[in-house]
Amino acid sequence: MVGWLKALVYGAGGMAVVGLAALVALQERLVYVPVLPGLPRAYPIKPSRLRLIYEDVWLRAADGVRLHSWFLRHSPTCRGPTILFFQENAGNIAHRLECVRLMMQRLQCNVFMLSYRGYGESEGYPSQSGITKDAQAALDHLLQRKDIDTSRIVIFGRSLGGAVGAVLAKNNPDKVSALILENTFTSILDMAGIMLPFLRWFIGGSSAKGPKLLNCVVRSPWSTLDVVAEVKQPILFLSGLQDELVPPSHMRMLYDKAVEHNRNCRFVDFLNGMHMDTWISGGDRYWRTIELFLDQYSPEVQSSDASCTSEIADDGNEYNHLYLGIWFMMLTTNVRLACL
């Protein structure tokens, strides 16, 4: 009997060690999902299909990784704000084009869309340190452009993109005018405990209880709760109260943390907003909220002429099914963490 118990204990211990080793070795594959199951890595559409003016931009991150991005111009003569757009986790920037088309139309802005390393046509493999370098390369590129108002660069990040954007804003307090976060988590450490409850006592963010014994082996913690406390720029928090992936309480915690140190914070929630459709379900109120925020914290220079009327085609309905279809696939597959 004793021998049988020993064997059971040793077997369980061995399985735990193997499981931990696999978690450490494969964690980037668990956290980052550049390719959705059943879909190719290639872009399904390009901006030209939505009648958007754009250029392909190739960048080099500080460590030499070659990155692809799109610069989408509102119109040749419009010098409105430029949104540096950081996407959610799963898929690539093409899957966000319908959202960006509407963003450009409603906010009269340019948009710069970065493909993280390992995503879309960018080279390399994703990691927190690598994606942080990618984001900096994107901002550095925008600051060198002569065809935009570099004093009106605003970061927009949804979910994982919010974590990326918060780090970039913190690191560049004098180069970014404002930060917009939508349905972003407090940290990957906290999300691990939600997605995998048995890890809750071993992994957790700064607000979590427990010994957090495994925090030291997590290479992509994305501790947004700690980062927002150091962001100096105005921050707009957009929270979908029906978020099925990131608990809405995370957004409230981020706001509460930020407002302790930053008086220029705004929190707006949307009753029917889910993780990836808040920009749809929020309707006119969603876009009007962002518009008012930009008017206050990234105002238009008075010398701008009247030619900044929208030239963005308002015929994107045929493409809505593409975005919503991808969103539905994310919800119905077993890659919940991939949607962050």
Side-chain angles (χ1 to χ4, degrees):
M1 183 68 178
V2 174
W4 183 83
L5 289 175
K6 285 184 178 180
L8 182 62
V9 170
Y10 290 147
M15 292 177 63
V17 170
V18 171
L20 177 59
L23 182 65
V24 172
L26 303 175
Q27 60 183 273
E28 278 78 16
R29 294 188 181 183
L30 296 174
V31 172
Y32 305 105
V33 183
V35 182
L36 287 166
L39 294 180
R41 176 170 170 171
Y43 301 134
I45 61 172
K46 293 192 175 182
S48 56
R49 186 171 169 187
L50 275 67
R51 304 180 188 178
L52 298 174
I53 303 172
Y54 82 104
E55 63 181 89
D56 288 293
V57 178
W58 292 93
L59 308 171
R60 288 280 181 186
D63 56 358
V65 175
R66 190 167 182 255
L67 308 169
H68 179 253
S69 54
W70 286 327
F71 177 70
L72 297 95
R73 184 184 305 284
H74 179 275
S75 64
T77 57
C78 181
R79 292 180 66 83
T82 296
I83 305 294
L84 178 48
F85 184 95
F86 294 124
Q87 67 163 71
E88 310 92 323
N89 186 4
N92 58 54
I93 54 177
H95 300 141
R96 281 79 192 179
L97 275 175
E98 175 55 26
C99 173
V100 166
R101 184 197 66 82
L102 191 56
M103 177 181 287
M104 296 172 68
Q105 182 185 74
R106 293 298 304 264
L107 305 180
Q108 297 191 358
C109 63
N110 308 308
V111 178
F112 191 89
M113 303 180 75
L114 170 71
S115 279
Y116 308 136
R117 60 183 62 202
Y119 285 68
E121 295 182 4
S122 293
E123 299 175 354
Y125 300 93
S127 66
Q128 178 170 335
S129 61
I131 292 176
T132 299
K133 294 182 178 70
D134 301 346
Q136 188 64 54
L139 177 59
D140 291 344
H141 168 80
L142 287 178
L143 291 169
Q144 294 172 5
R145 294 188 71 106
K146 304 300 182 183
D147 55 351
I148 67 170
D149 184 348
T150 55
S151 70
R152 302 181 70 195
I153 296 175
V154 177
I155 294 173
F156 177 98
R158 180 180 292 133
S159 196
L160 172 65
V164 177
V167 172
L168 185 64
K170 177 183 76 72
N171 292 341
N172 297 270
D174 301 322
K175 300 176 182 178
V176 173
S177 61
L179 171 65
I180 302 173
L181 302 180
E182 180 179 324
N183 295 338
T184 298
F185 45 78
T186 53
S187 73
I188 286 291
L189 300 171
D190 290 330
M191 288 306 301
I194 293 171
M195 300 298 183
L196 303 171
F198 67 89
L199 289 177
R200 189 166 297 167
W201 285 95
F202 304 99
I203 292 179
S206 58
S207 63
K209 300 178 181 179
K212 309 177 192 178
L213 298 177
L214 301 183
N215 279 15
C216 60
V217 303
V218 177
R219 292 186 290 269
S220 291
W222 290 113
S223 300
T224 316
L225 187 65
D226 297 326
V227 173
V228 293
E230 302 181 53
V231 173
K232 306 301 182 185
Q233 300 94 325
I235 310 175
L236 174 61
F237 297 83
L238 303 172
S239 177
L241 296 184
Q242 303 304 316
D243 194 324
E244 72 288 357
L245 295 174
V246 177
S249 60
H250 280 221
M251 283 293 289
R252 177 58 72 173
M253 291 171 65
L254 290 175
Y255 169 76
D256 290 343
K257 187 72 170 182
V259 81
E260 291 177 3
H261 310 275
N262 185 345
R263 296 178 60 186
N264 296 318
C265 293
R266 302 290 182 270
F267 183 94
V268 181
D269 55 27
F270 300 87
L271 180 62
N272 298 317
M274 298 181 71
H275 188 64
M276 294 181 63
D277 82 335
T278 301
W279 64 276
I280 300 173
S281 61
D284 182 72
R285 177 170 171 261
Y286 174 90
W287 296 109
R288 184 61 178 157
T289 296
I290 300 177
E291 184 180 4
L292 292 173
F293 178 76
L294 295 179
D295 286 346
Q296 181 174 2
Y297 294 111
S298 187
E300 181 179 1
V301 178
Q302 290 302 313
S303 61
S304 177
D305 57 43
S307 62
C308 200
T309 55
S310 179
E311 297 183 10
I312 308 301
D314 191 18
D315 59 354
N317 288 338
E318 64 174 295
Y319 305 107
N320 276 333
H321 73 279
L322 172 66
Y323 184 93
L324 294 175
I326 292 169
W327 171 60
F328 180 76
M329 175 178 286
M330 291 179 184
L331 297 184
T332 54
T333 59
N334 293 322
V335 289
R336 294 183 66 201
L337 190 57
C339 297
L340 298 177

